[in-house]
Amino acid sequence: MNKANYYTAESDWQYWSVSQYKDFEKCEAAATAKLKDEWKPSGSPEPLIVGNYVHSYFESKTAHKAFVANNVGAIISKAGATKGKPKKAYKQADMMIQTFENDDFFNVVYQGEKEVPLEGTIFGVKWKGKLDCLNVKGQYFCDIKTVDDICKRHWNNENRQWVSFVEDREYILQMAVYQELLKQKYGKTFEPFIFAVSKQDVPDKMAINIDQWKLDNALAQIETNVDHFNRVKNGQEEPKHCGKCEYCRMTKRLNGFTEVSDILDKER
Ligand SMILES: [Zn+2]
């Protein structure tokens, strides 16, 4: 696994990644359709490009320049009062960058090799991952996360409780996979740190660590699911339809009635 082949469709078939695993958790049918290139989720690519814009800055000045040059069509406004200038989202992204750049704690910790590709075998299947920043000597790694509001509560319907954006976006799972891949490569347990920055007008920031038992639990959760997911991916088992997502709504056919009291049970 290297920087050139990391994001190819071929490597998505060969390897599991955390984002692919999360797709399968949400809806096996949609995940499979996405892999086969039969369907793409709709929605604005802007949050993703903004996230990559911030990431590339902390990778290197050269990487950021190249990223801006390659995405100039998305970044520069084509109409209105801001014509020819960066769109609002990217002015905000510049503020998010400044937020970290002006912070001594961040600058001390966020040191090491940037954009490090990883691979290994977890629970019998091949995985790939990419670290924002790896500090081998300090035995830790860092990930930058952009989020609308760091302290916002998110409802988790499965566990019937409020959770933070870290749990909502399953970042513990992501960090657990990276920790395991690093353990296989270096024979040591690396500690994950998340540097979160918010998209508010005055960006908030937070350095976040995770109790080890939460990482252990997240990894164990993969063991219970990945076998079935892998069989679905290889066409040995039929994908389940969640019945709620964009893909399922698109392919839905009515086949009967739902009694009023059962409507909310269909909520995921
Ligand atoms: Zn679905």
Side-chain angles (χ1 to χ4, degrees):
M1 193 54 48
N2 55 46
K3 281 177 193 181
N5 67 11
Y6 188 85
Y7 289 115
T8 59
E10 258 173 270
S11 87
D12 283 343
W13 278 106
Q14 280 177 3
Y15 291 86
W16 281 88
S17 65
V18 171
S19 64
Q20 189 180 88
Y21 179 88
K22 288 197 277 194
D23 283 348
F24 271 80
E25 267 186 330
K26 281 192 202 104
C27 179
E28 295 170 13
T32 312
K34 194 172 153 189
L35 252 174
K36 289 182 181 162
D37 208 19
E38 292 170 351
W39 167 78
K40 266 197 190 85
S42 70
S44 161
E46 191 165 76
L48 188 72
I49 305 176
V50 167
N52 290 339
Y53 179 93
V54 174
H55 272 88
S56 69
Y57 184 87
F58 291 104
E59 183 184 350
S60 70
K61 300 275 182 295
T62 323
H64 189 61
K65 258 190 197 151
F67 182 84
V68 172
N70 288 335
N71 291 279
V72 82
I75 295 167
I76 303 297
S77 174
K78 290 181 193 75
T82 57
K83 193 179 172 183
K85 292 190 182 133
K87 289 179 193 163
K88 187 172 177 274
Y90 297 94
K91 279 189 208 150
Q92 195 159 26
D94 283 332
M95 290 204 308
M96 291 156 85
I97 288 169
Q98 288 303 314
T99 296
F100 279 146
E101 194 151 78
N102 298 334
D103 189 273
D104 291 342
F105 185 91
F106 174 84
N107 288 317
V108 167
V109 179
Y110 202 81
Q111 297 292 334
E113 201 189 332
K114 308 290 157 59
E115 297 291 310
V116 184
L118 288 173
E119 60 177 275
T121 301
I122 305 175
F123 303 125
V125 300
K126 281 160 80 181
W127 288 77
K128 60 175 178 172
K130 202 183 282 159
L131 305 176
D132 286 353
C133 177
L134 171 65
N135 191 312
V136 178
K137 215 173 142 209
Q139 240 168 280
Y140 66 83
F141 59 99
C142 308
D143 219 77
I144 291 177
K145 300 295 188 195
T146 56
V147 54
D148 47 344
D149 176 349
I150 293 172
C151 296
K152 194 165 116 182
R153 303 193 305 169
H154 301 262
W155 180 249
N156 182 304
N157 205 45
E158 206 178 312
N159 301 323
R160 316 294 301 172
Q161 63 180 9
W162 293 101
V163 296
S164 74
F165 80 97
V166 175
E167 288 124 326
D168 185 56
R169 299 198 199 161
E170 296 198 85
Y171 288 149
I172 298 178
L173 183 94
Q174 184 187 7
M175 297 302 122
V177 168
Y178 291 176
Q179 187 183 54
E180 175 60 25
L181 294 176
L182 283 169
K183 198 179 200 170
Q184 292 180 10
K185 191 172 176 189
Y186 294 95
K188 291 173 185 161
T189 302
F190 285 66
E191 186 168 9
F193 299 131
I194 292 171
F195 281 98
V197 58
S198 80
K199 296 176 185 172
Q200 288 153 305
D201 286 340
V202 177
D204 193 7
K205 57 186 177 287
M206 194 179 277
I208 301 164
N209 67 339
I210 303 164
D211 288 342
Q212 185 59 43
W213 66 266
K214 291 177 189 160
L215 295 158
D216 297 340
N217 281 357
L219 204 65
Q221 183 202 323
I222 292 178
E223 189 173 16
T224 55
N225 295 331
V226 81
D227 212 40
H228 167 64
F229 288 170
N230 201 48
R231 294 175 71 79
V232 172
K233 186 175 169 180
N234 294 333
Q236 295 157 304
E237 279 178 40
E238 282 299 307
K240 280 185 215 120
H241 292 249
C242 76
K244 290 290 296 176
C245 76
E246 202 177 285
Y247 176 76
C248 286
R249 294 200 305 270
M250 205 176 75
T251 52
K252 191 172 180 178
R253 298 280 176 275
L254 293 177
N255 60 5
F257 294 95
T258 302
E259 207 284 323
V260 177
S261 301
D262 298 330
I263 295 174
L264 290 187
D265 286 342
K266 304 221 171 207
E267 185 199 4
R268 263 165 56 92

